[in-house]
Coordinates of all heavy atoms in Angstrom, one line a residue:
I1 N -122.7 72.3 316.1 CA -122.2 71.3 315.1 C -122.5 71.9 313.7 O -123.6 72.0 313.2 CB -122.9 70.0 315.3 CG1 -122.5 69.4 316.6 CG2 -122.6 69.0 314.1 CD1 -123.3 68.2 317.0
T2 N -121.4 72.4 313.1 CA -121.5 73.1 311.8 C -121.0 72.2 310.7 O -121.3 72.5 309.5 CB -120.7 74.4 311.8 OG1 -119.3 74.0 312.2 CG2 -121.2 75.4 312.9
E3 N -120.4 71.1 311.0 CA -119.9 70.2 309.9 C -120.3 68.8 310.2 O -119.4 68.0 310.6 CB -118.4 70.4 309.8 CG -118.0 71.8 309.4 CD -116.5 71.9 309.1 OE1 -115.9 71.0 308.6 OE2 -115.9 73.0 309.4
P4 N -121.5 68.4 310.0 CA -122.0 67.1 310.4 C -121.3 66.0 309.5 O -121.2 64.8 309.9 CB -123.5 67.1 310.1 CG -123.7 68.3 309.3 CD -122.6 69.3 309.6
Q5 N -120.7 66.4 308.4 CA -120.0 65.4 307.5 C -118.8 64.9 308.2 O -118.3 63.9 307.8 CB -119.7 66.0 306.1 CG -118.8 67.2 306.1 CD -119.4 68.5 306.4 OE1 -120.6 68.6 306.8 NE2 -118.7 69.6 306.1
Q6 N -118.3 65.5 309.3 CA -117.2 64.9 310.1 C -117.6 63.7 310.9 O -116.8 63.1 311.5 CB -116.6 66.0 310.9 CG -115.9 67.1 310.1 CD -115.2 68.1 311.0 OE1 -115.4 68.2 312.2 NE2 -114.4 69.0 310.4
Y7 N -118.9 63.5 311.0 CA -119.5 62.4 311.7 C -119.7 61.2 310.7 O -120.0 61.4 309.6 CB -120.8 62.7 312.4 CG -120.7 63.6 313.6 CD1 -120.2 64.9 313.5 CD2 -121.1 63.2 314.8 CE1 -120.1 65.8 314.6 CE2 -121.0 64.0 315.9 CZ -120.5 65.3 315.8 OH -120.4 66.1 316.9
T8 N -119.5 60.0 311.2 CA -119.6 58.8 310.4 C -121.1 58.5 310.2 O -121.9 58.4 311.1 CB -118.9 57.6 311.1 OG1 -117.6 58.0 311.3 CG2 -119.0 56.4 310.2
S9 N -121.5 58.2 308.9 CA -122.9 57.9 308.6 C -123.2 56.4 309.0 O -122.4 55.5 308.7 CB -123.1 58.1 307.1 OG -124.4 57.8 306.8
L10 N -124.4 56.2 309.5 CA -124.8 54.8 309.8 C -125.7 54.3 308.7 O -125.9 53.1 308.6 CB -125.7 54.8 311.1 CG -125.1 55.1 312.4 CD1 -126.1 54.9 313.5 CD2 -124.0 54.1 312.6
D11 N -126.2 55.1 307.8 CA -127.0 54.6 306.7 C -126.6 55.2 305.4 O -125.9 56.3 305.3 CB -128.5 55.0 307.0 CG -128.7 56.4 307.1 OD1 -128.0 57.1 307.8 OD2 -129.6 57.0 306.4
E12 N -127.0 54.6 304.3 CA -126.5 55.1 303.0 C -127.0 56.5 302.6 O -126.4 57.2 301.8 CB -126.8 54.1 301.9 CG -128.3 53.7 301.7 CD -128.5 52.6 300.8 OE1 -127.8 51.6 300.8 OE2 -129.4 52.7 299.9
K13 N -128.2 56.9 303.1 CA -128.7 58.2 302.8 C -128.2 59.3 303.8 O -128.6 60.4 303.7 CB -130.3 58.2 302.9 CG -130.9 57.3 301.8 CD -132.4 57.4 301.8 CE -132.9 56.6 300.6 NZ -134.4 56.7 300.6
Q14 N -127.4 58.8 304.7 CA -126.7 59.7 305.7 C -127.7 60.5 306.6 O -127.5 61.7 306.9 CB -125.7 60.7 305.0 CG -124.7 59.9 304.2 CD -123.7 60.8 303.4 OE1 -123.8 62.0 303.5 NE2 -122.8 60.2 302.8
K15 N -128.8 59.9 306.9 CA -129.8 60.5 307.8 C -129.3 60.4 309.3 O -129.8 61.3 310.0 CB -131.1 59.8 307.6 CG -131.7 60.2 306.2 CD -133.2 59.7 306.2 CE -133.8 60.1 304.8 NZ -134.6 61.3 304.9
I16 N -128.6 59.4 309.6 CA -128.1 59.3 311.0 C -126.5 59.2 310.9 O -126.0 58.4 310.2 CB -128.6 58.0 311.7 CG1 -130.1 58.1 311.8 CG2 -128.0 57.9 313.1 CD1 -130.8 56.9 312.4
R17 N -125.9 60.1 311.7 CA -124.4 60.1 311.8 C -124.0 60.0 313.2 O -124.8 60.4 314.1 CB -123.9 61.5 311.2 CG -124.2 61.6 309.7 CD -123.8 63.0 309.2 NE -123.9 63.1 307.8 CZ -122.9 62.8 306.9 NH1 -121.7 62.4 307.4 NH2 -123.0 63.0 305.7
H18 N -122.8 59.5 313.4 CA -122.4 59.3 314.8 C -120.9 59.6 315.0 O -120.1 59.6 314.0 CB -122.7 57.9 315.3 CG -121.7 56.9 314.8 ND1 -120.6 56.5 315.5 CD2 -121.6 56.2 313.6 CE1 -119.9 55.6 314.7 NE2 -120.5 55.4 313.6
Q19 N -120.6 59.9 316.2 CA -119.2 60.1 316.6 C -119.2 59.8 318.1 O -119.9 60.5 318.9 CB -118.7 61.5 316.4 CG -117.3 61.8 316.6 CD -116.9 63.2 316.2 OE1 -117.0 64.1 317.0 NE2 -116.4 63.3 314.9
H20 N -118.5 58.8 318.5 CA -118.5 58.3 319.9 C -119.9 58.0 320.4 O -120.6 57.2 319.8 CB -117.7 59.3 320.8 CG -116.3 59.6 320.3 ND1 -115.3 58.7 320.2 CD2 -115.8 60.7 319.7 CE1 -114.2 59.2 319.7 NE2 -114.5 60.5 319.4
T21 N -120.4 58.8 321.4 CA -121.7 58.6 321.9 C -122.7 59.6 321.5 O -123.8 59.8 322.1 CB -121.7 58.5 323.5 OG1 -121.2 59.7 324.0 CG2 -120.8 57.3 324.0
V22 N -122.4 60.3 320.4 CA -123.3 61.4 319.9 C -123.8 60.9 318.6 O -123.1 60.4 317.7 CB -122.5 62.7 319.6 CG1 -123.4 63.7 319.0 CG2 -121.9 63.2 321.0
L23 N -125.2 61.0 318.5 CA -125.9 60.6 317.2 C -126.6 61.9 316.7 O -127.3 62.5 317.4 CB -126.9 59.5 317.5 CG -126.4 58.2 317.8 CD1 -127.5 57.3 318.4 CD2 -125.7 57.5 316.6
L24 N -126.4 62.2 315.4 CA -127.1 63.3 314.8 C -128.2 62.6 314.0 O -127.9 61.8 313.1 CB -126.2 64.0 313.8 CG -124.8 64.5 314.4 CD1 -124.0 65.3 313.3 CD2 -125.1 65.5 315.6
T25 N -129.4 62.9 314.4 CA -130.6 62.2 313.8 C -131.6 63.2 313.2 O -131.5 64.4 313.5 CB -131.3 61.3 314.8 OG1 -132.0 62.2 315.7 CG2 -130.4 60.4 315.6
P26 N -132.5 62.7 312.4 CA -133.6 63.6 312.0 C -134.4 64.0 313.2 O -134.3 63.4 314.3 CB -134.4 62.7 311.0 CG -133.6 61.6 310.7 CD -132.6 61.4 311.8
Y27 N -135.3 65.0 313.0 CA -136.2 65.4 314.0 C -137.1 64.2 314.3 O -137.4 63.3 313.4 CB -137.0 66.6 313.5 CG -137.9 67.1 314.6 CD1 -137.4 67.9 315.6 CD2 -139.3 66.9 314.5 CE1 -138.3 68.4 316.6 CE2 -140.1 67.4 315.5 CZ -139.6 68.2 316.6 OH -140.4 68.7 317.5
L28 N -137.7 64.1 315.5 CA -138.5 63.0 315.9 C -139.9 63.0 315.4 O -140.9 63.4 316.0 CB -138.5 62.9 317.5 CG -137.2 62.7 318.2 CD1 -137.4 62.5 319.7 CD2 -136.4 61.6 317.6
D29 N -140.0 62.7 314.1 CA -141.3 62.7 313.4 C -141.2 61.5 312.4 O -140.1 61.4 311.8 CB -141.5 64.0 312.6 CG -142.8 64.0 311.9 OD1 -142.8 63.4 310.8 OD2 -143.7 64.6 312.4
Y30 N -142.2 60.7 312.3 CA -142.1 59.5 311.4 C -141.8 59.8 310.0 O -141.3 59.0 309.3 CB -143.4 58.7 311.5 CG -143.5 57.9 312.8 CD1 -144.5 58.2 313.8 CD2 -142.6 56.9 313.1 CE1 -144.5 57.5 315.0 CE2 -142.6 56.2 314.3 CZ -143.6 56.5 315.2 OH -143.7 55.8 316.4
R31 N -142.2 61.0 309.5 CA -141.9 61.3 308.1 C -140.3 61.5 307.9 O -139.8 61.2 306.8 CB -142.5 62.6 307.6 CG -144.1 62.5 307.5 CD -144.7 63.8 307.3 NE -144.6 64.5 308.6 CZ -145.1 65.7 308.9 NH1 -145.9 66.3 308.0 NH2 -145.0 66.3 310.1
Q32 N -139.7 61.9 308.9 CA -138.2 62.0 308.9 C -137.5 60.9 309.5 O -136.4 60.5 309.1 CB -137.8 63.3 309.6 CG -138.4 64.6 308.9 CD -138.1 65.8 309.7 OE1 -136.9 66.1 310.0 NE2 -139.1 66.6 310.1

């Protein structure tokens, strides 16, 4: 995945993006 901007953002800061059943999220750490 080289162009995450092609995924739709779920939040205003664009930390979580989705396309169909794929979610691009931050690493699993509470700071992120």
Side-chain angles (χ1 to χ4, degrees):
I1 296 172
T2 57
E3 297 185 35
Q5 63 274 17
Q6 292 182 349
Y7 285 65
T8 304
S9 182
L10 289 182
D11 63 307
E12 60 187 44
K13 292 185 178 179
Q14 302 180 359
K15 291 191 177 258
I16 299 177
R17 295 176 172 267
H18 76 96
Q19 188 176 86
H20 308 292
T21 60
V22 177
L23 292 167
L24 307 180
T25 71
Y27 186 75
L28 302 184
D29 180 281
Y30 284 115
R31 291 171 290 189
Q32 298 175 53

